[in-house]
Amino acid sequence: MTKRNTAQRRHQILALLNEQGEVAVDALAARFSTSEVTIRKDLAELEKLGLLLRRYGGAVSLPSEFAHEPSIAPVKQQIAKAAASCIREHNRILVDYGSTTAALIPELANKRGLLVMTNSLAVANALRELENEPTLLMTGGTWDPHSESFQGQVAEQVLRSYDFDQLFIGADGIDLNRGTTTFNELLGLSRVMAEVAREVVVMADSSKIGRKIPNLELPWAGIQTLVTDSGISAEAAEQIRSHGVKLIIASE
């Protein structure tokens, strides 16, 4: 069997799970001609996205009592696909920590010659699984268990040694008057990331729009693009555009 990229393999794992109700690690490894370690990583990432439940030796479909509950995962995938369309081959990009930005990584499978720096181990691990093998750089710094990312002055100094085409960053909230807001009090690294990137791309689902959280992370003046979903209101979209920000609304 020809080798498939990570995104394709995970899509087919979900298709098999939908058909069979359960899948086994050893059978999947044989089917896709890959290692059991790789399959376990696939199942772990799909579980994080709320698409399955892992069990010993494999995984099962979500229980029926959860099947009717709306999942944010498809929305994040739509946003990630739209954001990835902004990336050209051979771009130098920064990817901040977060579940929405992490969803961007599988969408990079067909982009050649990328250089990607991140402060997130989850993002780094996902990048290592891509078969097009982007050049991976880590910021280093002090590990912050709350955000599960590297922060601090060392990371800031490393960032200032580079320049990037784009920064992809999430947000806990979008204040229509001020910009992106966050619960995290460690704001220094995010701001340095924005300084060293020519384009700042914020990835946030529409539920974040209008949430006013005390900590201002990035003002509108420092943001070039916002990628969100179709749940955004016409009024909010107009106000965001009034700040000179390009608004990309992901389609289903």
Side-chain angles (χ1 to χ4, degrees), residues 101-224:
T101 49
L104 175 68
I105 304 308
E107 302 297 332
L108 305 181
N110 296 318
K111 307 280 187 179
R112 296 182 180 179
L114 295 180
L115 182 147
V116 186
M117 177 176 275
T118 185
N119 61 337
S120 165
L121 284 180
V123 169
N125 287 333
L127 281 164
R128 290 176 58 244
E129 295 179 10
L130 294 181
E131 293 174 7
N132 57 335
E133 298 182 354
T135 299
L136 170 61
L137 300 175
M138 294 293 294
T139 63
T142 302
W143 178 252
D144 173 45
H146 176 71
S147 64
E148 296 189 340
S149 65
F150 291 100
Q151 303 284 338
Q153 292 184 356
V154 171
E156 293 173 20
Q157 290 171 1
V158 169
L159 278 170
R160 288 193 172 101
S161 300
Y162 294 87
D163 63 272
F164 296 90
D165 297 299
Q166 294 158 307
L167 162 65
F168 293 87
I169 187 170
D172 293 323
I174 302 289
D175 187 317
L176 291 172
N177 294 315
R178 298 190 298 160
T180 65
T181 55
T182 180
F183 292 111
N184 192 357
E185 295 182 354
L186 299 173
L187 302 172
L189 191 66
S190 297
R191 291 171 177 172
V192 173
M193 283 182 169
E195 290 173 10
V196 300
R198 283 185 283 276
E199 180 185 12
V200 175
V201 182
V202 175
M203 301 170 62
D205 66 82
S206 58
S207 69
K208 307 288 181 65
I209 296 173
R211 293 179 66 184
K212 295 183 179 180
I213 300 168
N215 298 325
L216 176 66
E217 188 167 29
L218 298 176
W220 287 119
I223 299 168
Q224 284 71 50

Side-chain angles (χ1 to χ4, degrees), residues 22-38:
E22 61 180 323
V23 290
V25 170
D26 55 355
L28 291 174
R31 182 184 184 94
F32 296 109
S33 301
T34 190
S35 70
E36 293 189 6
V37 171
T38 296

